[in-house]
Structure formats: structure tokens, C-alpha cells
Amino acid sequence: MNTKELALKINEKNTMVSGHRTCAGCPIAIICRTVTSASDIPVVCSSATSCAEVTTTIYPQTSWNIPWIHSVFANSAATISGIETAYKAQKKKRKIKKDINFLVIAGDGGSFDIGLQALSGALERGHDFVFLCYDNEGYQNTGAQRSSATPKGAATTTTPSGSNSYGKLEFSKDLVKIAAAHNIPYVAQANTHNLIDLYNKAQKAFAKKGPAVIVVFAACPTNMKAPSEQTIAISKLATESNFWPLYEIDEGKLTINYKPEKRIPIEEFLKTQTKFKEVLKPKNKEVLKSIQEEVDRRYNELLKLEKL
């Protein structure tokens, strides 16, 4: 499949229509339309409180062309668990005959942090659903506060940078590996700049019997403090620098889907975003070095796991 064929397929499914209120350059709509289009059967969606929720369903309007329910930050995975269980009960009684896929859409706040307990419980119980996390690296819906997905060195409203601080002190949490530790059928990491890869991973996720998790890099212009027209270019740099590798864990087997021919320094990715301006100053060269070392460590660990 090429990009043109994918665009035609997405437009044909038309699961999410225009008129939403996402910011200029925001990739959320692209991600949601791509993933929901990857299902060949009807999709029922539970969406956590998030940028996606507040921009696509401002009362009395909606951009969704699929059954969609709003859950609070903490319980989108629990909500879809109940819906999926009720569906199985109704199907067993033959009150429902058609096949349905179930989907959760949540930001990093509703996945890495506030929603992690409900997600872990749903994965452990083995509910048949796909959990889609778009990671824009912070609580953008409420003013760009730090989350556990926020990278080290990033300035947020709760980890401001300046003369006394370079930004967030801690490295980001690895949600893909946390999900994989539940021994579920499928886990993947994807990026907006490669929608064919994202679509293929969503197809695999929907085809699995049991839970699947996809975490997508969602370069947020507001959070990055970067020009809106640079969203896709910055997204690509995230992968080319190994900051955001494209890989999947299918039935326990890890595969890296793309390996840069020549890894670019992490500085090339960070300097595209004003939120990293402090960490790029000469006085913080040791911090920058630690970020590069952590990026390299995580990627080398993936290479080792791929050989197992």
C-alpha cells in the first residue's frame, strides 16, 4: 500500500469528519482517523478526557462517525472492558450477531499516569480491545503540565526552565515495555510521519484476540513551541535520532520496523523545539550528554531483544 491508497481508504471509511477544533499542526486527528480506518468491522470507542475528547466533541457537535463514549481521565480502559463484556454476553444470548472491534483513545496523561491502573487491570484480565495512546508528552488539555511521558530536559508549566532549572529532571516512562510485561498478544510503537506503518500496526492489533496497545508519537506544536507546519518533519527526526524507534512486539517477538542508516544526534531533534532551549545551552552539556546516552541505551536494548 502506498500513501495515496491509504488516504483513499481513510477517506472512504470516514470514521472522523472535519470540523474538529484541534490546534494547527496537531496530529491527533490524523492518528485517530488512521487507526479507526484500519478495522474492517464496526468500531466502538471509549475516549478518555484529553485533547482528542475536548476538540472533537464540543456539545452539541461531534466529529465522530462511530459509536463513541467519553470516559474520565482514569477509567477509559475500565469503560471499554465493561462494554466489551456486555457485548460478549449479548452475543452469547444471540441478541447481537455482528462482530465489533473495541478501541480506547487516550493521551499520555490518561495512559502513562492517571489511567495506568485501569489499563493494567484490563490487560491483565485479557479483554479484547485495542488501546491507542497518542503521546504528546504532557497534559496539553489543561495547560502543558509535565507527565511521566515528558522527556528529560523539557520545559513545561510545572517544570519551567530558566536560570535555576533546565526543565524536567527525569527520563520518560516506557509505556510500551510496561504493556508488554503483561504478556499480551500485541504491543507497538508508531509515529505520525509514517502512517502506513501505523495503519499496518493498527490492523494487526484489531486482528488479535485479546488486548493490544499502540503508543504513537504525537508531536504537539503547542507543547514543543515549534511552528505548526513542522509537525511531520519533527516527528521524523524523533525516529531518525532513535528517540522514538518504530517497533512491535507480536506474540512476544520484538521486531524493529525501521533502523536509521545513520542515527542523527539527539541534539538535532531537540533543537527544533523551544521547550528544550535551556538544556541545549553549553552550561548543560552534561545533561544533553545524559539524554543522548539514555536514547542510545534504550535503542541498544531493543537491538538485543530483537535477537532473542
Side-chain angles (χ1 to χ4, degrees), residues 25 57 81-82 114 155 200 202 214 226 231 269 291:
T57 60
S81 299
I114 302 173
N200 290 337
I214 303 175
T231 298
F269 168 63
I291 295 173

Side-chain angles (χ1 to χ4, degrees), residues 22-89:
T22 59
C23 299
C26 174
I28 288 175
I30 301 172
I31 294 168
C32 292
R33 279 169 55 84
T34 301
V35 171
T36 51
S37 298
S39 175
D40 292 328
I41 59 177
V43 176
V44 172
C45 178
S46 167
S47 183
T49 298
S50 62
C51 288
E53 177 262 320
V54 299
T55 59
T56 62
T57 60
I58 296 178
Y59 183 83
Q61 296 150 338
T62 179
S63 290
W64 294 99
N65 262 344
I66 59 175
W68 181 97
I69 184 170
H70 172 215
S71 299
V72 298
F73 254 130
N75 72 349
S76 56
T79 299
I80 210 69
S81 299
I83 297 169
E84 183 254 4
T85 301
Y87 162 77
K88 288 195 297 186

Side-chain angles (χ1 to χ4, degrees), residues 119-189:
L119 172 59
S120 178
L123 299 183
E124 185 271 332
R125 293 190 300 272
H127 291 282
D128 190 5
F129 73 108
V130 175
F131 190 98
L132 168 64
C133 168
Y134 62 87
D135 179 6
N136 54 19
E137 302 182 327
Y139 289 87
Q140 306 316 314
N141 176 34
T142 53
Q145 297 88 3
R146 65 91 85 187
S147 78
S148 61
T150 304
K152 182 176 181 176
T156 72
T157 54
T158 48
T159 58
S161 64
S163 57
N164 295 320
S165 174
Y166 56 79
K168 185 170 178 260
L169 305 179
E170 304 84 10
F171 291 109
S172 60
K173 185 186 292 182
D174 195 333
L175 183 62
V176 173
K177 289 181 182 175
I178 292 171
H182 290 76
N183 298 314
I184 60 177
Y186 189 76
V187 188
Q189 186 161 283

Side-chain angles (χ1 to χ4, degrees), residues 1 5-17 28-45 64-66 101 103 105 130 132 195-196 198-204 206 214:
M1 181 190 301
E5 291 171 337
L6 177 59
L8 290 172
K9 190 177 287 289
I10 291 173
N11 288 333
E12 180 184 356
K13 290 291 183 68
N14 202 32
T15 53
M16 182 181 173
V17 300
I28 288 175
I30 301 172
I31 294 168
C32 292
R33 279 169 55 84
T34 301
V35 171
T36 51
S37 298
S39 175
D40 292 328
I41 59 177
V43 176
V44 172
C45 178
W64 294 99
N65 262 344
I66 59 175
N101 279 326
L103 173 69
I105 297 174
V130 175
L132 168 64
L195 293 182
I196 293 175
L198 173 58
Y199 181 87
N200 290 337
K201 286 171 177 172
Q203 274 197 320
K204 289 182 182 180
F206 280 125
I214 303 175

